[in-house]
């Protein structure tokens, strides 16, 4: 057993992905039914936000931030070669995340200013701990991962301030979601072609994903401009122009990764399909300007399809690889991802009635919850149990360090 695998405490706190992926999965399973009850008027959420702002805030800065933390506290040790954060510091960090959820939901008897302050602690602690590891490991080139994490914290602060001063957080919603999408562009743009290349090489393929080059850099830059424009001025012509151009570039970027060749690997195909929601969401930001689609469509394509799909697929793969399971999705996890994709489609119908007397919002909530119920049922025990004494059988689970 290597020093990295030797840990005398609970398995849950032996590696960063374990507590935060478990917390994210359970939170995703529970928070959407609560939001549905609030939407139907059966539950009153008494906190610093309106019910809609609470729902969106918790999906971005509750669920999304937990997955980001789990990913980074697993990836950074691979980048720096240092021991992973584990034990009581990891438990304390999880407690800070939970404190933010209680404060934002009104379950703590504090006012809006103190709730805002408590909710800032988690992302600030994540940024500080990541910075410490990268600096201690002299892995200077990866300090840039602190930029989106710090910006995500700033978006959270903006969300609270906007809600306190204006009663709604329209700008904060789009800023927070845009930053998660930007992380999908960066992280997805590294792991998807890397994992696909590994798998195709094992299959004896000769046509492999195109390596990161200037095209990828230009596509990311244009998408960043498009997301910034959507955040600040969602219905301006410039947003339509930037969104259209960025959608085309990222569709081309996805095609360069040879996703069609890995249809026999559901775990890989999930990553490609989740990334497909990025150009679809960018196209939706353009289509919303002349009113071709509703103003809420881009947010739900981004939120459910891109963020939900990518985080679910990454949590599956990382949990398998780092707990010693084979990299094989199986029926349960493949079904979970399919249900999430259907949840995105159903949510686009909104409150309009569908067959069998159910509306799109209710159906989407049911499908989302079912997806994460399958995830928790299958992956939850792995996160609580010690790592198996064998390695994955297909491909590498390590996260490639960002370049460029």
């Amino acid at each position: 057993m290597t020093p990295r695998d030797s840990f005398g405490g609970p398995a849950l706190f032996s590696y960063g992905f374990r507590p935060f992926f478990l917390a994210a999965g359970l939170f995703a399973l529970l928070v959407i039914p609560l939001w549905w009850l609030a939407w139907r008027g059966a539950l009153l959420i008494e906190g610093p936000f309106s019910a809609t702002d609470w729902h969106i805030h918790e999906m971005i800065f509750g669920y999304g931030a937990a997955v980001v933390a789990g990913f980074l506290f697993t990836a950074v040790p691979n980048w720096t070669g240092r021991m992973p954060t584990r034990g009581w510091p990891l438990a304390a960090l999880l407690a800070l995340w939970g404190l933010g959820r209680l404060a934002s939901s009104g379950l703590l008897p504090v006012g809006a200013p103190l709730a805002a302050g408590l909710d800032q602690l988690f992302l600030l602690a994540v940024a500080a701990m990541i910075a410490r590891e990268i600096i201690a490991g002299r892995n200077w080139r990866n300090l840039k991962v602190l930029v989106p994490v710090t910006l995500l914290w700033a978006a959270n602060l903006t969300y609270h301030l906007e809600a306190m001063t204006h009663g709604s957080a329209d700008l904060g919603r789009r800023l927070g979601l845009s930053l998660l999408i930007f992380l999908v562009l960066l992280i997805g743009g590294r792991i998807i072609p890397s994992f696909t290349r590994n798998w195709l090489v094992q299959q004896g393929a000769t046509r492999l994903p195109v390596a990161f080059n200037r095209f990828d850099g230009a596509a990311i830059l244009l998408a960043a401009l498009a997301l910034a424009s959507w955040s600040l001025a969602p219905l301006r012509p410039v947003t339509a122009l930037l969104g259209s151009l960025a959608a085309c570039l990222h569709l081309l970027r996805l095609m360069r990764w040879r996703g069609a060749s890995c249809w026999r690997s559901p775990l890989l195909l999930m990553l490609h399909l989740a990334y497909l929601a990025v150009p679809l969401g960018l196209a939706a930001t353009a289509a919303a300007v002349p009113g071709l689609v509703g103003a809420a469509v881009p947010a739900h394509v981004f939120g459910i399809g891109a963020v939900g799909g990518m985080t679910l697929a990454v949590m599956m793969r990382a949990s398998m690889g780092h707990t010693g399971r084979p990299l094989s999705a199986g029926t349960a996890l493949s079904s979970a991802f399919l249900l999430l994709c259907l949840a995105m489609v159903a949510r686009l119908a909104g409150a309009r009635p569908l067959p069998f007397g159910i509306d799109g919002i209710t159906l989407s909530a049911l499908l989302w919850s079912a997806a994460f119920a399958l995830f928790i049922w299958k992956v939850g025990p792995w996160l609580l149990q010690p790592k198996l004494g064998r390695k994955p059988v297909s491909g590498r689970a390590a996260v490639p360090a960002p370049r460029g």
Side-chain angles (χ1 to χ4, degrees):
M1 181 177 289
T2 66
R4 194 169 281 217
D5 292 329
S6 60
F7 176 68
L12 181 64
F13 296 110
S14 63
Y15 226 122
F17 71 94
R18 291 176 177 269
F20 287 109
F21 286 0
L22 183 62
L26 289 171
F27 189 69
L29 173 60
L30 296 174
V31 76
I32 292 301
L34 292 176
W35 147 246
W36 181 83
L37 289 172
W39 175 67
R40 295 296 295 261
L43 177 67
L44 180 62
I45 298 174
E46 296 181 345
F49 303 120
S50 67
T52 298
D53 277 338
W54 172 79
H55 159 60
I56 299 171
H57 179 272
E58 291 306 282
M59 295 314 300
I60 297 171
F61 302 106
Y63 170 78
V67 179
V68 169
F71 176 87
L72 289 177
F73 280 105
T74 304
V76 168
N78 288 329
W79 301 344
T80 63
R82 287 173 52 81
M83 291 292 291
T85 300
R86 54 180 38 162
W88 73 262
L90 206 54
L93 198 62
L94 182 64
L96 284 182
W97 177 84
L99 184 65
R101 311 291 55 79
L102 294 174
S104 296
S105 65
L107 293 177
L108 287 181
V110 297
L114 183 53
L118 293 174
D119 193 37
Q120 306 311 306
L121 297 177
F122 174 66
L123 283 172
L124 286 175
V126 169
M129 293 171 75
I130 293 298
R132 181 199 65 185
E133 291 302 305
I134 291 177
I135 292 171
R138 298 183 179 276
N139 192 248
W140 309 112
R141 66 191 182 95
N142 284 324
L143 275 174
K144 59 175 147 312
V145 303
L146 291 175
V147 175
V149 175
T150 304
L151 290 176
L152 190 63
W153 161 76
N156 189 19
L157 181 60
T158 300
Y159 205 112
H160 280 275
L161 293 175
E162 190 181 9
M164 283 190 284
T165 56
H166 298 289
S168 181
D170 292 338
L171 174 61
R173 298 176 187 178
R174 294 187 296 272
L175 280 175
L177 185 53
S178 292
L179 285 165
L180 289 184
I181 293 298
F182 189 72
L183 284 170
V184 169
L185 299 178
L186 292 180
I187 297 172
R190 291 305 177 185
I191 65 174
I192 297 173
S194 175
F195 292 157
T196 303
R197 173 181 290 271
N198 294 339
W199 187 83
L200 288 175
V201 167
Q202 290 178 355
Q203 307 305 309
T206 56
R207 296 185 60 190
L208 302 175
V210 178
F212 188 96
N213 57 29
R214 292 181 179 178
F215 174 86
D216 297 88
I220 291 173
L221 177 60
L222 185 58
L225 293 174
L227 291 168
S229 183
W230 176 65
S231 298
L232 299 171
L235 298 180
R236 295 291 181 86
V238 65
T239 299
L241 176 61
L242 291 172
S244 299
L245 294 174
C248 293
L249 286 188
H250 281 275
L251 185 59
L252 288 174
R253 189 187 192 206
L254 179 61
M255 294 171 62
R256 287 154 45 102
W257 294 339
R258 306 285 298 152
S261 300
C262 60
W263 59 269
R264 288 177 295 169
S265 174
L267 204 58
L268 270 179
L269 192 59
M270 291 177 195
L271 293 170
H272 288 267
L273 291 175
Y275 197 92
L276 177 60
V278 172
L280 292 178
L282 290 167
T285 65
V289 174
L292 297 178
V293 300
V297 168
H300 289 114
V301 175
F302 281 147
I304 302 175
V307 175
M310 186 63 69
T311 54
L312 184 61
V314 166
M315 287 193 295
M316 290 177 189
R317 185 183 184 99
S319 298
M320 291 173 193
H322 288 284
T323 62
R325 269 78 183 178
L327 295 181
S328 175
T331 302
L333 295 181
S334 298
S335 299
F337 187 83
L338 176 60
L339 289 171
L340 188 137
C341 293
L342 293 175
M344 182 193 74
V345 175
R347 186 57 185 83
L348 299 183
R352 291 190 295 273
L354 299 174
F356 307 107
I358 192 170
D359 60 84
I361 294 176
T362 299
L363 179 58
S364 180
L366 288 171
L367 292 168
W368 171 281
S369 298
F372 279 93
L374 285 173
F375 171 79
I376 290 298
W377 172 68
K378 187 69 176 179
V379 177
W382 303 346
L383 301 174
L384 294 169
Q385 298 166 2
K387 181 178 180 180
L388 297 181
R390 56 190 174 88
K391 296 181 179 180
V393 297
S394 59
R396 295 179 298 177
V399 180
R403 305 188 305 274

